[in-house]
PDB file of all heavy atoms in Angstrom:
ATOM      1  N   ILE B 804      -8.573  -3.742  13.382  1.00 94.00           N
ATOM      2  CA  ILE B 804      -8.164  -4.925  13.051  1.00 94.00           C
ATOM      3  C   ILE B 804      -9.283  -5.895  12.662  1.00 94.00           C
ATOM      4  O   ILE B 804      -9.207  -6.695  11.705  1.00 94.00           O
ATOM      5  CB  ILE B 804      -7.279  -5.554  14.186  1.00 94.00           C
ATOM      6  CG1 ILE B 804      -5.892  -4.913  14.128  1.00 94.00           C
ATOM      7  CG2 ILE B 804      -7.079  -7.079  14.110  1.00 94.00           C
ATOM      8  CD1 ILE B 804      -5.033  -5.200  15.316  1.00 94.00           C
ATOM      9  N   ILE B 805     -10.363  -5.714  13.397  1.00 93.00           N
ATOM     10  CA  ILE B 805     -11.593  -6.613  13.138  1.00 93.00           C
ATOM     11  C   ILE B 805     -11.979  -6.266  11.702  1.00 93.00           C
ATOM     12  O   ILE B 805     -12.335  -7.253  10.890  1.00 93.00           O
ATOM     13  CB  ILE B 805     -12.812  -6.357  14.086  1.00 93.00           C
ATOM     14  CG1 ILE B 805     -12.299  -6.829  15.569  1.00 93.00           C
ATOM     15  CG2 ILE B 805     -14.078  -6.928  13.667  1.00 93.00           C
ATOM     16  CD1 ILE B 805     -13.264  -6.422  16.580  1.00 93.00           C
ATOM     17  N   GLY B 806     -11.993  -5.034  11.305  1.00 93.00           N
ATOM     18  CA  GLY B 806     -12.525  -4.670   9.947  1.00 93.00           C
ATOM     19  C   GLY B 806     -11.591  -5.226   8.880  1.00 93.00           C
ATOM     20  O   GLY B 806     -12.098  -5.792   7.962  1.00 93.00           O
ATOM     21  N   ILE B 807     -10.299  -5.134   9.124  1.00 94.00           N
ATOM     22  CA  ILE B 807      -9.369  -5.652   8.111  1.00 94.00           C
ATOM     23  C   ILE B 807      -9.604  -7.191   8.013  1.00 94.00           C
ATOM     24  O   ILE B 807      -9.639  -7.730   6.904  1.00 94.00           O
ATOM     25  CB  ILE B 807      -7.812  -5.349   8.542  1.00 94.00           C
ATOM     26  CG1 ILE B 807      -7.593  -3.916   8.450  1.00 94.00           C
ATOM     27  CG2 ILE B 807      -6.922  -6.111   7.623  1.00 94.00           C
ATOM     28  CD1 ILE B 807      -6.306  -3.482   8.992  1.00 94.00           C
ATOM     29  N   ALA B 808      -9.781  -7.830   9.164  1.00 95.00           N
ATOM     30  CA  ALA B 808      -9.916  -9.302   9.076  1.00 95.00           C
ATOM     31  C   ALA B 808     -11.153  -9.603   8.308  1.00 95.00           C
ATOM     32  O   ALA B 808     -11.139 -10.579   7.495  1.00 95.00           O
ATOM     33  CB  ALA B 808      -9.957  -9.938  10.455  1.00 95.00           C
ATOM     34  N   TYR B 809     -12.213  -8.873   8.660  1.00 93.00           N
ATOM     35  CA  TYR B 809     -13.527  -9.295   8.011  1.00 93.00           C
ATOM     36  C   TYR B 809     -13.400  -8.946   6.343  1.00 93.00           C
ATOM     37  O   TYR B 809     -13.734  -9.912   5.630  1.00 93.00           O
ATOM     38  CB  TYR B 809     -14.557  -8.309   8.419  1.00 93.00           C
ATOM     39  CG  TYR B 809     -15.867  -8.445   7.575  1.00 93.00           C
ATOM     40  CD1 TYR B 809     -16.607  -9.603   7.694  1.00 93.00           C
ATOM     41  CD2 TYR B 809     -16.154  -7.487   6.701  1.00 93.00           C
ATOM     42  CE1 TYR B 809     -17.747  -9.820   6.909  1.00 93.00           C
ATOM     43  CE2 TYR B 809     -17.263  -7.739   5.896  1.00 93.00           C
ATOM     44  CZ  TYR B 809     -18.031  -8.855   6.004  1.00 93.00           C
ATOM     45  OH  TYR B 809     -19.101  -8.951   5.143  1.00 93.00           O
ATOM     46  N   LEU B 810     -12.817  -7.911   6.034  1.00 93.00           N
ATOM     47  CA  LEU B 810     -12.761  -7.550   4.644  1.00 93.00           C
ATOM     48  C   LEU B 810     -11.867  -8.558   3.963  1.00 93.00           C
ATOM     49  O   LEU B 810     -12.320  -9.071   2.796  1.00 93.00           O
ATOM     50  CB  LEU B 810     -12.130  -6.184   4.459  1.00 93.00           C
ATOM     51  CG  LEU B 810     -13.121  -5.036   4.406  1.00 93.00           C
ATOM     52  CD1 LEU B 810     -12.324  -3.714   4.209  1.00 93.00           C
ATOM     53  CD2 LEU B 810     -14.120  -5.268   3.369  1.00 93.00           C
ATOM     54  N   SER B 811     -10.775  -8.904   4.477  1.00 95.00           N
ATOM     55  CA  SER B 811      -9.800  -9.855   3.774  1.00 95.00           C
ATOM     56  C   SER B 811     -10.525 -11.274   3.620  1.00 95.00           C
ATOM     57  O   SER B 811     -10.411 -12.006   2.648  1.00 95.00           O
ATOM     58  CB  SER B 811      -8.495  -9.903   4.556  1.00 95.00           C
ATOM     59  OG  SER B 811      -8.632 -10.559   5.856  1.00 95.00           O
ATOM     60  N   HIS B 812     -11.248 -11.588   4.725  1.00 95.00           N
ATOM     61  CA  HIS B 812     -12.046 -12.856   4.628  1.00 95.00           C
ATOM     62  C   HIS B 812     -13.081 -12.784   3.564  1.00 95.00           C
ATOM     63  O   HIS B 812     -13.205 -13.798   2.749  1.00 95.00           O
ATOM     64  CB  HIS B 812     -12.549 -13.088   6.045  1.00 95.00           C
ATOM     65  CG  HIS B 812     -13.224 -14.486   6.086  1.00 95.00           C
ATOM     66  ND1 HIS B 812     -12.468 -15.692   6.098  1.00 95.00           N
ATOM     67  CD2 HIS B 812     -14.526 -14.929   6.103  1.00 95.00           C
ATOM     68  CE1 HIS B 812     -13.269 -16.754   6.174  1.00 95.00           C
ATOM     69  NE2 HIS B 812     -14.620 -16.190   6.161  1.00 95.00           N
ATOM     70  N   PHE B 813     -13.758 -11.713   3.528  1.00 94.00           N
ATOM     71  CA  PHE B 813     -14.809 -11.439   2.516  1.00 94.00           C
ATOM     72  C   PHE B 813     -14.169 -11.712   1.184  1.00 94.00           C
ATOM     73  O   PHE B 813     -14.731 -12.469   0.288  1.00 94.00           O
ATOM     74  CB  PHE B 813     -15.352 -10.003   2.668  1.00 94.00           C
ATOM     75  CG  PHE B 813     -16.349  -9.590   1.740  1.00 94.00           C
ATOM     76  CD1 PHE B 813     -17.751  -9.887   1.858  1.00 94.00           C
ATOM     77  CD2 PHE B 813     -16.106  -8.950   0.560  1.00 94.00           C
ATOM     78  CE1 PHE B 813     -18.685  -9.448   1.002  1.00 94.00           C
ATOM     79  CE2 PHE B 813     -16.997  -8.481  -0.376  1.00 94.00           C
ATOM     80  CZ  PHE B 813     -18.383  -8.784  -0.140  1.00 94.00           C
ATOM     81  N   GLY B 814     -13.159 -10.936   0.833  1.00 94.00           N
ATOM     82  CA  GLY B 814     -12.465 -10.999  -0.485  1.00 94.00           C
ATOM     83  C   GLY B 814     -11.935 -12.358  -0.747  1.00 94.00           C
ATOM     84  O   GLY B 814     -12.205 -12.968  -1.877  1.00 94.00           O
ATOM     85  N   SER B 815     -11.363 -13.030   0.219  1.00 96.00           N
ATOM     86  CA  SER B 815     -10.618 -14.312  -0.124  1.00 96.00           C
ATOM     87  C   SER B 815     -11.749 -15.347  -0.280  1.00 96.00           C
ATOM     88  O   SER B 815     -11.688 -16.297  -1.203  1.00 96.00           O
ATOM     89  CB  SER B 815      -9.754 -14.734   1.009  1.00 96.00           C
ATOM     90  OG  SER B 815     -10.492 -15.052   2.145  1.00 96.00           O
TER      91      SER B 815
END
Side-chain angles (χ1 to χ4, degrees):
Chain B
I804 285 176
I805 293 173
I807 295 176
Y809 170 76
L810 270 181
S811 62
H812 186 72
F813 178 86
S815 70

